[in-house]
Amino acid sequence: MAVATGTAEVVPEPGRPRAATLLVNGVPSSFVDLDDPDLLDFEYMQQMAAVVDTLAAHRPEPAVLHLGAGGCALARTLAHRYPGARQLAVELDGELARLVRTWFALPRAPRLRLRTGEARAELARVADASFDVVVRDVFAGDSTPDHLTTVEVARDVARVLRPGGVYLANCADRPPLALARAEAATLRAVFRHVAVVAEPGQLRGRHYGNLVLAGTDEDGLLDDPGLARTLRTLPVPARVLVGAELDAFAGAAVVRTDPRPWAPDGLAGTAAPAAATGD
């Protein structure tokens, strides 16, 4: 089906008539099972949810801002786990957002509001200290637009987060993981604590895939032993790099910055290539 930014297609899961994958311009965007709102099929979403669950153990019903909505799979699961949580999902393609709400029976406002707009422009309009979690899951094709990977964006996320909140960014990269290393260095320039979560083979540079980068000022969140244990016991076990391991992963990567002042109306800024992205 045609949408504002290209095409959207819902591909049913064989043998599960109420489960499907949403493809946006031919790229898998979300997997949703209408009979199991707690199910997250994409590994990086499972990893993100594990971090949110760790935060929620001390901060019930977290408020979550999603930059990039897609099929709202993560938002659906968090709404199921935390019925009192307030969520806002920003989607560039208004027609896609309308269709997704129809197709996937999403929770209604105020539990989950959908807003049409460009992610960085909408982030700039969000009030200070208004969310506990900010999730970045924005893609153009198979990569995140450069202007959403800079230190200026991370600072704006930190402004929006409440004290102790956490930023979760989906980073698709391939060996030698130059983009993920640069993004880790970028978050480290803003947040007191930074982590990278991925399956071990990917961290060893074996294949292309998604890594989760996390940033927070909250002591004890990203290095929580329970979080590490949960990540190890996922269907595809994952590791979390913090502290010295995170520093070694980031290495000498250079912080990504806007090459010139960014304008919300024109997406004028794109990230200065601190290192090759690997894409």
Side-chain angles (χ1 to χ4, degrees):
M1 180 175 293
V3 291
T5 56
T7 62
E9 181 183 4
V10 176
V11 179
E13 181 75 3
R16 299 166 67 184
R18 285 170 55 83
T21 299
L22 172 67
L23 304 181
V24 179
N25 297 322
V27 178
S29 171
S30 301
F31 178 88
V32 172
D33 186 338
L34 295 179
D35 292 327
D36 188 358
D38 199 56
L39 175 67
L40 289 169
D41 190 65
F42 288 8
E43 291 151 18
Y44 79 88
M45 291 190 185
Q46 298 170 7
Q47 296 160 10
M48 286 182 170
V51 178
V52 176
D53 289 345
T54 303
L55 176 74
H58 309 286
R59 188 176 305 202
E61 315 299 355
V64 184
L65 170 63
H66 301 263
L67 302 177
C72 289
L74 180 60
R76 288 182 81 252
T77 292
L78 295 181
H80 172 73
R81 294 182 184 180
Y82 309 106
R86 174 177 59 90
Q87 298 190 78
L88 170 63
V90 175
E91 171 56 50
L92 178 64
D93 192 321
E95 178 63 12
L96 176 62
R98 185 189 69 79
L99 291 170
V100 164
R101 188 173 280 289
T102 301
W103 289 336
F104 297 142
L106 300 181
R108 308 298 299 188
R111 295 181 63 203
L112 175 58
R113 293 179 294 136
L114 299 184
R115 179 181 296 174
T116 300
E118 192 280 323
R120 185 162 174 181
E122 293 304 320
L123 175 66
R125 297 184 179 105
V126 175
D128 294 0
S130 53
F131 286 92
D132 301 296
V133 181
V134 175
V135 175
R136 188 201 75 196
D137 194 8
V138 181
F139 281 82
D142 64 354
S143 62
T144 300
D146 280 350
H147 75 280
L148 293 173
T149 66
T150 65
V151 71
E152 291 83 1
V153 174
R155 289 172 184 151
D156 211 19
V157 169
R159 174 189 63 79
V160 165
L161 286 173
R162 293 169 178 160
V166 64
Y167 179 36
L168 299 171
N170 178 14
C171 175
D173 204 3
R174 55 176 50 85
L177 304 181
L179 175 59
R181 297 178 198 278
E183 285 221 62
T186 300
L187 293 191
R188 196 173 51 179
V190 176
F191 296 99
R192 291 178 55 224
H193 304 288
V194 175
V196 172
V197 180
E199 60 95 0
Q202 188 177 4
L203 290 171
R204 289 193 288 269
R206 291 182 177 174
H207 56 80
Y208 170 88
N210 299 82
L211 302 90
V212 172
L213 294 105
T216 184
D217 290 333
E218 181 75 3
D219 295 336
L221 174 60
L222 299 180
D223 59 355
D224 184 294
L227 173 61
R229 183 167 54 252
T230 296
L231 293 169
R232 288 196 303 268
T233 57
L234 291 174
V236 176
R239 286 190 61 206
V240 55
L241 304 184
V242 294
E245 288 187 312
L246 185 281
D247 292 340
F249 177 84
V254 180
V255 172
R256 293 171 67 84
T257 61
D258 290 338
R260 57 187 181 275
W262 180 82
D265 57 346
L267 308 187
T270 56
T277 65
D279 291 330

